[in-house]
Amino acid sequence: MPADIRRAKILERIQRDGGASIGELARDYGVSPITVHRDLERLAGDGLIERIHGGARPTGTSPTHIQVPTDWTKRLRQAQAQKEAIAAAAVHFVEDGGTIFVDSSTTCLAFARHLNRHPPRALTLVTNSPAIALELHAPAIHVVVTPGEVDQTLKMIGGRWAAEFLADLNMEVAFISAGGITLEHGLTTTRRALSDTLHAALASSAKGIGLIDSSKFGLSALVSIARPEELDAVIVDHGLSRELVDAYEAAGVNLVFAEGHRSASSVA
């Protein structure tokens, strides 16, 4: 990536998230910490950001005027290691030359960033996430964004236009997440518009893969998205208890564990 484009993306990221560390930026843009340090110095010299220990924040942010974290930024910071492990396992379901759907969750954002760092030779990626669309810059990834209404809280595009658009597509895999998952209610969310969009994506895809960290298990939100046993796999970290693993396995759910891409039967 050209340096000026990388700095523009770093600036947008810092302004959107309220700050970022050198380590995060180096990892997500595939460059060394020294390169990120130089980028931040350049942006700070232009008066676009403020340097802080280990990273940077938007200008005008001070100890007496701290930007209040939004729901989106809070979710970005939750279960980061688990999301990274799930993202690494999810790439096993991506084939060169294929077409996939990636939803607007922060877990799928981690997955998209992983694909951006290690892109296949060719891939068409359909998403209802403006954040994911802005993050992807690998030339091998052709990005398609759904039309529809923007939900600023969830940073997602949904509604009837998005569902109708997705209904006309043919995709190999739909990668989705959820606000919660239980055997009784399945994968759930707080937004009907998001549920309708994900229903359409799953219906247009040959496979459905859930990317759900262990903290979401046992939680249930207002609207159901899909039953876990209807998905081809649910990728999760190793935070589940043996009892939960046994219960989901008995219900016919294909749990795939992130580290080592192991099956549920191998969990101690």
Side-chain angles (χ1 to χ4, degrees), residues 9-21 24-25 27-29 56-58 61 67-70 72-74 76-77 80 106 109 113 131 135 155:
K9 287 184 175 291
I10 288 174
L11 175 61
E12 189 275 335
R13 169 90 169 270
I14 291 171
Q15 292 174 335
R16 184 190 68 216
D17 296 348
S21 72
E24 290 172 342
L25 295 171
R27 180 195 66 207
D28 293 339
Y29 293 102
R57 63 189 178 196
T61 306
Q67 181 174 354
V68 178
T70 64
W72 171 256
T73 56
K74 289 177 182 176
L76 276 175
R77 295 166 184 165
Q80 290 181 332
T106 55
L109 176 59
R113 287 173 173 171
E135 289 273 348
K155 302 293 186 186

Side-chain angles (χ1 to χ4, degrees), residues 30-89:
V31 295
S32 70
I34 293 176
T35 298
V36 173
H37 175 79
R38 291 170 180 164
D39 287 341
L40 295 182
E41 288 296 320
R42 173 72 174 273
L43 292 170
D46 292 339
L48 299 174
I49 62 170
E50 292 180 7
R51 288 301 311 276
I52 57 175
H53 179 70
R57 63 189 178 196
T59 56
T61 306
S62 66
T64 59
H65 180 67
I66 300 297
Q67 181 174 354
V68 178
T70 64
D71 178 67
W72 171 256
T73 56
K74 289 177 182 176
R75 288 189 291 116
L76 276 175
R77 295 166 184 165
Q78 293 170 350
Q80 290 181 332
Q82 292 89 334
K83 291 173 183 176
E84 286 295 326
I86 290 169

Side-chain angles (χ1 to χ4, degrees), residues 22-191:
I22 289 177
E24 290 172 342
L25 295 171
R27 180 195 66 207
D28 293 339
Y29 293 102
V31 295
S32 70
I34 293 176
T35 298
V36 173
H37 175 79
R38 291 170 180 164
D39 287 341
L40 295 182
E41 288 296 320
R42 173 72 174 273
L43 292 170
D46 292 339
L48 299 174
I49 62 170
E50 292 180 7
R51 288 301 311 276
I52 57 175
H53 179 70
R57 63 189 178 196
T59 56
T61 306
S62 66
T64 59
H65 180 67
I66 300 297
Q67 181 174 354
V68 178
T70 64
D71 178 67
W72 171 256
T73 56
K74 289 177 182 176
R75 288 189 291 116
L76 276 175
R77 295 166 184 165
Q78 293 170 350
Q80 290 181 332
Q82 292 89 334
K83 291 173 183 176
E84 286 295 326
I86 290 169
V91 299
H92 292 276
F93 294 91
V94 178
E95 296 184 1
D96 280 327
T99 299
I100 65 174
F101 173 82
V102 179
D103 82 2
S104 55
S105 64
T106 55
T107 306
C108 281
L109 176 59
F111 172 50
R113 287 173 173 171
H114 190 93
L115 287 174
N116 194 58
R117 295 193 299 270
H118 310 283
R121 286 189 292 271
L123 181 70
T124 298
L125 187 148
V126 183
T127 185
N128 68 323
S129 168
I132 287 176
L134 287 171
E135 289 273 348
L136 294 174
H137 52 76
I141 303 177
H142 175 58
V143 181
V144 178
V145 182
T146 67
E149 301 175 44
V150 177
D151 184 315
Q152 296 288 4
T153 300
L154 295 184
K155 302 293 186 186
M156 71 94 176
I157 300 170
R160 181 172 59 86
W161 288 340
E164 291 178 350
F165 176 82
L166 290 167
D168 290 332
L169 303 183
N170 296 305
M171 299 177 286
E172 281 75 42
V173 190
F175 294 92
I176 68 169
S177 191
I181 178 173
T182 65
L183 287 175
E184 181 181 6
H185 300 293
L187 283 69
T188 55
T189 179
T190 58
R191 299 290 200 276

